[in-house]
Amino acid sequence: MTEQGSSPIGAVFGVGIFLAFLLLATQTLLHLYATSIVSSATFDAARRAAAEDGLGCDEVPAQVRARLGSHGAAARVTCTDDGEQLHVAVTADSPASLLRVVDARGISRTATVRVERVR
């Protein structure tokens, strides 16, 4: 059998393309996972703060940072309570370094929950 037509250059090019797609898929999944975690932490902190015996806006930043772990240290958390509704906004950087080049805005989530009070 002859090996005419096979080339190490073509094989290296093919492996390089495969690894590039694998890197892109990994970065995309990492970004989607981080987005899901930030969304969950935002809504959960808003729900717990708006409960009848909730902690209010004072403890929301600490709750969100605790849920996000080491990624939450750089997160920006704002909480406003207008008496009827409680708004929690969280902005965090994406851990996917490749996607930071494409999307510099990071991850931004807002949760609005009705405040529960005895009437």
Side-chain angles (χ1 to χ4, degrees), residues 10-97:
V12 168
F13 184 71
V15 169
I17 294 292
F18 172 74
L19 291 176
F21 279 124
L22 188 62
L23 177 66
L24 180 65
T26 304
Q27 292 290 303
T28 302
L29 288 176
L30 184 62
H31 179 74
L32 289 174
Y33 176 72
T35 302
S36 176
I37 294 299
V38 170
S39 298
S40 172
T42 303
F43 181 74
D44 197 38
R47 183 184 52 80
R48 291 180 71 188
E52 185 175 342
D53 57 348
L55 302 172
C57 280
D58 298 334
E59 296 295 321
V60 168
Q63 283 183 355
V64 170
R65 288 190 176 94
R67 293 274 314 242
L68 294 178
S70 62
H71 185 66
R76 292 162 300 285
V77 182
T78 58
C79 179
T80 56
D81 185 0
D82 63 6
E84 287 292 318
Q85 293 182 337
L86 185 123
H87 307 278
V88 176
V90 177
T91 304
D93 294 330
S94 176
S97 58

